[in-house]
Amino acid sequence: MKYKINNLEQYEEQYQEALSKPKEFWNKIAQEFSWSKKWTEVCEFDMINAEFSWFKNAKTNITENCIDRHLKDKGSQTALIFEPNAPKDKAEHISYNELHKRVCKMANALLALDVKKGDRVAIYLPMIPELSIVVLACARIGAIHSVIFAGFSSSALAARINDASCKIVVTADGGFRGNKTIDLKSIVDEALKDCPCVQHVIVAERTKTEVKMHPSRDNYLNDLLQNASEVHEAEPMDAEDPLFILYTSGSTGKPKGMVHTVGGYMVYTAYTFKNVFAYEQGDVYWCTADIGWITGHSYILYGPLLNGATSILFEGVPTFPNPGRFWDVVDKFGVNQFYTAPTAIRALAKESLEYVERYKLSSLKVIGSVGEPINEEAWQWYHKNIGKGNCPIVDTWWQTETGGILISPIPHVSPQIPTYATTPLPGIQPILMDNSGAEIKESEGEGRLCIKYPWPSIARTIWGDHKRYKETYFSAYPGYYFTGDGARRNKDEMYRITGRVDDVIIVSGHNLGTAPIEDAINEHDEIAESAIVGFPHDIKGNALYGFVTTKSDIKDEEQLKKDINALISAKIGPIAKLDKIQFTSGLPKTRSGKIMRRILRKIAEGNLSDFGDISTLLNPEVVKQIKDGRDA
Ligand code: PRX
């Protein structure tokens, strides 16, 4: 792909071009793809009514660009490497030729079940090759895929299936995760008691556990594939046809089904993958996310495949069979780009360094972070022990709603500042808003992060609820996309994401972000992880409550509490000191690894029963422990 950014000058050039002539800029980038019909207009938008169209009236199919386009030159190159959960099981290398055949076959299998363009297909699969293949097959026939992370409960699954009126559910008999086996089919059976829209269930075989098949509804995937042809002409799609729906965790209320469309999503994920990971032909790229999240959609599948890359699909977890697993896989395949989440980095940093030292990790060129602010200690650990001090860290900031990375360093181009996502990519115009709703014009400042101009992969709507889309993202600051995040900008115009703005706590009239306080605490040698929430206080308005997990048994609790507050005082100021500290064995997390602060807030407030929707909670046992040990 042209438009690769190789140095700071080129970055500046592209940034300025995208700023002053955005349509010309994206017009040039979009030329690199294969379209059966070109656009009549690069982009039309209305930021007040939240309406966007990119590459208007153009026709293409994203799978032609992900697969068919590469067959001539790199048909025999590996597209996907499947690394199974158990290290003793053999990895599977799927070439572009084979991927093409398997996606076409799957497309024909879906067509045989009468899946039509525009129909919604729910995909509830573990991280096995079939997951990628079904996703791509949907895209090939124009069905809208809705991948639901295979860790969601039956009620969460049912809610998502019904919201999008899915006609088909694709699942597996079960899935392996570490030393656990999850009976996915029985979860689907339970969910479907409440889903009248579903006509067929397709069952892939992974664990070979016995499952109950409903004769008129359920089909084994292998049976469907047996008679399916390997030939399939990709359906020409309008650039603005929906490609997929993906539900965001949504801290409150009903999950939001974010809708992404074909053309803009394709152009933007390809462009950002190429630049953020500095991918070069022949590299092996690994993103450890699950395809059930946006990171997996954009940067395991679409972005890498659009660039003809080799991308690893990992079924397992970072700590199985031991905490060296990630590093084992890196050495095994000679991974060049490695992309993971701060929560995984922190968990692994807690373990003995021996698990890292066993491996060379010499193939790594770029290492990445995504999903939450990376604290300084984790950043330094990652940089020193995994990047060996010479791999740029790309701290990529983006959201399910943005489709692709918006703010990130570019390796060997942008300066590295720990905990900073640094600079916006070309085409992205971030601004900060102050408390009164006015734009902060000075370089240096802190406020609410908004985006001024649309980019090709901005979500188009919330499925079935455009009003909610407009209200959630475009009404707080009319004319701007509101991210829901706070950010700090330094004098060099580098951005540091400080966290969700709903995590800001006002103590004695001072705005305190929880993320910097947590960063300060986490620097303590004994501390593994922490979460700060506010609770009502008679004099200060709010006071701070810290939930803190330690790396090992605590020798002197009172002393450690004093140390924590001394550290906060030193790093931020006495105003940020914690009124209450509770040591816990873990923190309540969503299945995607985010701390469920809502629950902690309730506990801190003394409200020990009404936790609202906890369908995404991974570890309910921790909540019970925290309740029992509350610092009253
Ligand atoms: O708060 C930001 C945080 O994750 C949110 C988006 O979550 P989700 O839609 O699940 O997508 C996660 C993967 C893109 C953001 O609003 N976030 C994401 N990346 C970063 C981040 N916070 C700080 N630094 C990041 N690099």
Side-chain angles (χ1 to χ4, degrees), residues 520 563-577:
D563 290 351
I564 289 173
N565 269 331
L567 198 56
I568 296 172
S569 282
K571 295 274 167 191
I572 300 162
I575 183 68
K577 283 201 326 198

Side-chain angles (χ1 to χ4, degrees), residues 397-399 447-450 482-487 497-501:
W397 173 81
W398 58 298
Q399 311 176 295
R448 288 166 180 238
L449 181 63
C450 293
F482 173 46
T483 65
D485 280 337
I497 311 305
T498 48
R500 302 295 304 181
V501 281

Side-chain angles (χ1 to χ4, degrees), residues 171-411:
T171 189
D173 47 3
F176 297 120
R177 267 181 83 74
N179 49 23
K180 289 197 204 120
T181 305
I182 301 148
D183 291 330
L184 297 173
K185 175 64 166 60
S186 55
I187 299 172
V188 170
D189 288 341
E190 184 61 31
L192 293 195
K193 288 181 182 162
D194 299 321
C195 300
C197 48
V198 173
Q199 294 174 9
H200 293 286
V201 175
I202 303 178
V203 184
E205 286 159 282
R206 174 61 184 145
T207 52
K208 308 274 182 198
T209 35
E210 211 175 299
V211 297
K212 220 159 101 208
M213 296 293 276
H214 293 239
S216 59
R217 188 193 73 186
D218 299 353
N219 308 268
Y220 277 112
L221 176 60
N222 278 339
D223 294 345
L224 295 174
L225 290 175
Q226 240 166 31
N227 302 319
S229 150
E230 284 176 0
V231 181
H232 179 269
E233 263 312 290
E235 177 76 27
M237 301 292 288
D238 191 279
E240 280 302 331
D241 279 335
L243 173 65
F244 65 85
I245 302 170
L246 187 59
Y247 288 86
T248 57
S249 331
S251 47
T252 51
K254 206 171 137 203
K256 296 174 285 194
M258 305 313 306
V259 177
H260 284 283
T261 56
V262 174
Y265 179 82
M266 171 173 87
V267 170
Y268 195 77
T269 52
Y271 173 76
T272 50
F273 174 77
K274 176 86 181 169
N275 282 306
V276 171
F277 298 102
Y279 186 87
E280 290 169 71
Q281 288 313 312
D283 282 351
V284 175
Y285 162 90
W286 182 21
C287 165
T288 68
D290 193 290
I291 291 177
W293 311 119
I294 191 71
T295 307
H297 280 58
S298 303
Y299 299 109
I300 294 178
L301 284 185
Y302 287 115
L305 296 178
L306 285 163
N307 281 280
T310 299
S311 176
I312 296 178
L313 194 70
F314 175 52
E315 185 184 30
V317 296
T319 47
F320 176 80
N322 63 54
R325 185 68 191 278
F326 273 1
W327 324 128
D328 184 49
V329 175
V330 167
D331 273 10
K332 179 173 173 188
F333 298 112
V335 170
N336 303 109
Q337 290 88 4
F338 176 75
Y339 190 30
T340 196
T343 186
I345 298 167
R346 286 195 297 264
L348 296 177
K350 212 165 97 171
E351 303 289 344
S352 162
L353 253 191
E354 271 175 35
Y355 289 113
V356 180
E357 285 162 351
R358 282 181 202 165
Y359 302 98
K360 291 219 241 358
L361 306 181
S362 54
S363 54
L364 289 173
K365 298 199 278 195
V366 174
I367 54 180
S369 169
V370 61
E372 54 180 316
I374 178 164
N375 52 300
E376 170 105 28
E377 201 193 6
W379 195 100
Q380 296 293 0
W381 184 90
Y382 196 31
H383 186 247
K384 177 168 171 235
N385 298 297
I386 306 307
K388 309 295 180 199
N390 54 30
C391 290
I393 294 184
V394 288
D395 177 0
T396 63
W397 173 81
W398 58 298
Q399 311 176 295
T400 305
E401 296 85 336
T402 69
I405 297 165
L406 299 196
I407 304 182
S408 169
I410 294 176

Side-chain angles (χ1 to χ4, degrees), residues 507-508 510-513 516-518 520-521 540 544 562-579:
V507 179
S508 301
H510 296 268
N511 269 11
L512 294 174
I517 305 174
E518 290 160 6
I521 301 175
K540 303 177 187 178
L544 300 176
K562 280 188 195 146
D563 290 351
I564 289 173
N565 269 331
L567 198 56
I568 296 172
S569 282
K571 295 274 167 191
I572 300 162
I575 183 68
K577 283 201 326 198
L578 308 183
D579 277 38

Side-chain angles (χ1 to χ4, degrees), residues 25-90:
F25 177 77
W26 291 114
N27 184 52
K28 278 191 222 165
I29 293 181
Q31 303 291 344
E32 308 221 352
F33 299 86
S34 131
W35 305 84
S36 52
K37 184 170 167 257
K38 286 278 167 72
W39 45 96
T40 50
E41 190 62 55
V42 174
C43 127
E44 278 178 358
F45 64 91
D46 172 350
M47 294 280 276
I48 298 291
N49 290 305
E51 273 154 18
F52 307 96
S53 99
W54 282 84
F55 311 111
K56 204 171 174 190
N57 298 318
K59 298 261 184 231
T60 187
N61 187 292
I62 197 167
T63 69
E64 274 193 352
N65 284 283
C66 284
I67 311 172
D68 306 42
R69 197 164 52 115
H70 307 308
L71 296 182
K72 191 166 147 273
D73 294 336
K74 43 177 98 153
S76 55
Q77 185 205 296
T78 301
L80 296 171
I81 299 175
F82 170 59
E83 168 69 9
N85 179 57
K88 65 172 178 20
D89 292 346
K90 213 167 163 281

